Structures are given as structure tokens and as C-alpha cells.
Amino acid sequence: DIDDVGHKYYLELVLEDVLDKDSTVNCTAEVLYHLGSKNVAPDVQFTLEGELKNTDEADNVFYNQIKSLEKELVAENIPDSHGNVSPEMEPIRRLAWVASGYVIWQNSTENTKFHLAQIKRVKQVKRSDEYLEFDYMVLLHEMVSQEIIPWQMTVLWHPQHGVQVTQDSRQPKHASE
Amino acid sequence: QKVFRVIPQNDEQVAIINTLASNTEVDFWQPDSVTLVRPKMEVDFRVEADISSEVEDLLKESGMEYRVLIDNLQAAVDAQFDSKARTTGHSYEKYNNWETIAAWTADIAAQNPDLVTRSVIGETYEGRPMYVLKMGKSGPNKKAIFMDCGFHAREWISPAFCQWFVKEAVETYGKDTVMTTLLDSLDFYVLPVVNIDGYVYTWTNDRMWRKTRSKNAGSFCIGTDPNRNFNAGWCSLGASRRPCDSTYCGSAPESEKETKALADFIRDHLSTIKAYLTIHSYSQLLLFPYSYTYDLPSNYEELNTIARDASKQLASLYNTKYTYGPGATTIYPAAGGSDDWAYDQGIKYSFTFELRDTGKYGFVLPESQIKPTCEETLLAVKYIANYVLEHLY
């Protein structure tokens, strides 16, 4: 408890590579939830004890695959009702996961627990520069209220410049149908 | 016999296929005849086992793009006849729709009359029969364990587990000593889907639906959260009074036909039911009372030990980590839960399972994970059942 400021949490985590369970990196973090204000994201500071794996090769493969598409990518329901994700959609899903992580951080309080439930729709947006742009409509599951919240996110990605969420907005319940 | 798929890139390669067809017995699956083969076309054909390696050599030499589509045709054909799934559509390793599950309850009881009896405990809001399967070798004065699945419509792995449990019971009775003892000494009441209307809705309209499908007076919003609808601290905390919310507690305790049917059944069999298990997803948790209060149950130490040991059993298979403890502190405070209600009725051993995973797929757990999830969970359920058997009261 930090008087008049909020609640601070000290965390020790182990980061595990989704694609290689044996590849781990230790991490320490401090999270400060601000008193009162629901509209301010918690402060996060972290230190990685080690290096994250280099993903240049996979990044370039994905980048080139999308760049070489004749028509802009469009997809729905990832995963589908039965949990299936086609191999081509895996990077699209991971990108949504990272982007939704940002959205979740911006909207978290001590009383929320969000997970990305599903991508309802994703549409690639044509760009004249080297960035890839995707317009996502995702469903976020909030554990405490058990609500499924549709959320729109505009995501930019580039192999060297990483992920950016340039726009995001919570949608009314029927926006996902 | 093998089936090959080749993609000739040009007229030269098409000619090679033509030559092959004229020199050997080649049965074209697509296109129907060799005369229809064109460049860039997918060409599938069957050859006899004794010449398949020569054909493969030829394809390799030609540099043509090819792959073996079916390595052993006879085996593939035989497998089709072995699979029950072909006729009924039911599979223990896939998510089955309600129609399929309903038919399966009839089949499994008919095929195993000494071990399984099906009965109806009530009707859903939309008029569907709620089936319960009574498992066990018949005998006098048997005590029972009640287990339900499918409280929340979108938690598809839950009904999958109930089906798996029933399958394991009938298939390993007489072979597995633990299962045999359990079924000889105890009865298991298995309710494969509590919230059938909701489950159907997740297949037809909204995969993320949670509640029942009952109309709410004075609101356009549908449904009540069945696990906030029991008379256990009803609607006091962790539940909503608003019909549009996902945790709506209902207009009154047991306002839902489904929860009333379940509660009535348990009340009617209270003297024999010694444990209550309710299966949900997701989060990988093993919970026990209380959720409607931070107070601890009188046999907290015992329940905590059982949960600890059952979690260990579960983890022993694939190292899946579960967290265990009283509901209020382990997941969140929530009143109106069936586990708390059953406990307060006098059922000392009352547990809620939250199955795989921890959020990566959440409700849309891939079918490939049905088998491992069910296998590991079965270990925990058998452990608990065994404990109950050894501590009957």
C-alpha cells in the first residue's frame, strides 16, 4: 500500500517461449495500480534477466508472405469454434495476442482479469509504406464479470519496428455479430 | 496399394503420366481419365503395391512434384469400418452437438445395461429433456457421487469430460481395479449437460454464450447464470441483479428450470449422495467451499488436503499445473454456486473443477486437447472418488 498513491506489486516471473517450452527468461517487474482513477493504466517497470530469442527469420517469412498476397488478407473466427487455427493464421493470431496485451494493460485494474477469447474478424489495410496494417475486431473475456467484450484494434507491424496499436476502442455488445 | 498425388508442371510431365498410364495399371481418382490430365492440375491415382516403388522412382527421376496421399489403402478402408463415429457422428475426441450427445446417452445405456441406466430429471426452459446417467453395478444400499458438466454453455470441454468419464467407466470396468471397485461399491450420477439450451445456442448462434436461455420479465436480455442461481448466499456478492449481465443471479433462487431440476434431484437423493463434483472451464483450478463468503468450511483442512493430492494426481500425467483452494480466495467471491449449496445440504465433499487451459485458447480449447485434458482430469476424479469411498459417512 502506498498512501495516497495506490497499490504496488513486486513480481518475479519466468517468461516462456510459446514455440519452445525449454527457452525461458527470468524477469522481475513492479506494477503500480493508481488509487481511484479507472482511466489510468497501471505503471509497469520490468527487467529482463537475459535476452529474448531472435525472431528475424520467422518475422521475415511472415512479412514476405503477407506482402506477396494478391488481395488484402481477410479472415474470421480465429480460432474457430472447435479451437482450430490454420497454420497460415498462426502469426495473425499471435499478432492479435500481442496487440491485445497492450489494450488489456491500458484497461486493467486490480479487479479485472482479461484474456483474448477470439478474433472475430481481421482485415488487412492497404498501405503505401513498408508497414503491415491490420484492423482487428477481437473478443476480450473479463474473468470477474464473465463478460465478453468486443474490441476494435488497429495494429501496425514491421519486422524491424515491432508492434504498434494505433487505435483501439471498446465496442457495444452487438458489434461482434 | 498406394495413392499418389502429382502436379505436372508442363506438357513434358503430362506426357510422363500418359506413358505411365499406358504401361501400367493406373486407376485415376482425379481426373477421371488420363486424357483429362493438364499442366498445373492436381492428379491423384492408385497403383498396386508391387509396382508402387517403381512408380515412385519414376516420379522422383522426373523431378515432378508428388506426394503419397494414402500409404496403405487397405488399412485406411478398414479403419473406416472400425470407427463408430462414422455411423453415429459421436466421438470422444471431438466436441459433439446436443443431438449427438442425447443419442449417445441412449446408446451407451442400451449397450451397457448392467452398468448404465439413463433417466430424465427434468426439462429445460426450451423443453429439452435433462438426462442423467446412473453408473455402477447394482447393489443394495449403495452410496453415490454426483457429477455434472455443462453448467456454462461456452465451456465445451466440460461436457466432453463427462462423456469421457462414462466411456472410461464402461470400457475399463472389469479391467482396471480402481474403476471396478468404484463402480461396484458406489454409484455415479453423471449429468452430461446441465444447461442444454445454452449449449445448443453456442452451436447455432453465439459461441461465447454463458447463461441459460430463459426470458427475463421486463428486459430484452436473455438468460440467468445457473451458477449464481442456487440458494447459497444467493445474489449477495459476485453476482449481478441485472438480467443483461453474464452473472445475473435470476429472479429468485432456483428460478431456472435447470437448476431446480438439479436441486430437486439432489434433495431427493440426499441420503445417498456423499460427494458433489461440478465441471467447468477454464483456469485450471480445483475449488471447494466457500465462494459466497470468505469463511472457511468446517472440514477445510480435509478438503484442502484432498484438493492438494487430487491436483498432484492430475499433474502426474502431463505436468498440467492446477491451483486449489476455497472458491472465494482462489478464483473470486461468487454467491449462488451449486458447490456451496450442495455442501450446505450436508454433502461434505464438494468440488468445482475449472479445466484447461489458462487463457491461451480459453473457451475454444482445440479438440486435440480433449483427450489429454480428460485423461488427466480422470485421475483427479478417481482419486477423489476413492477417498470418498474410504471415508463414507
Side-chain angles (χ1 to χ4, degrees), chain A residues 88-101:
Chain A
E88 309 83 65
M89 287 302 148
E90 264 298 336
I92 296 289
R93 187 180 73 94
R94 281 188 217 125
L95 183 60
W97 210 6
V98 174
S100 61

Side-chain angles (χ1 to χ4, degrees), chain B residues 77-93:
Chain B
V77 169
D78 290 343
Q80 277 190 84
F81 288 110
D82 289 341
S83 172
K84 259 232 151 157
R86 231 173 55 88
T87 40
T88 62
H90 183 273
S91 170
Y92 292 105
E93 298 187 41

Side-chain angles (χ1 to χ4, degrees), chain B residues 172 174-182:
Chain B
T172 65
K175 299 187 184 115
D176 176 75
T177 31
V178 175
M179 189 62 94
T180 307
T181 308
L182 286 174

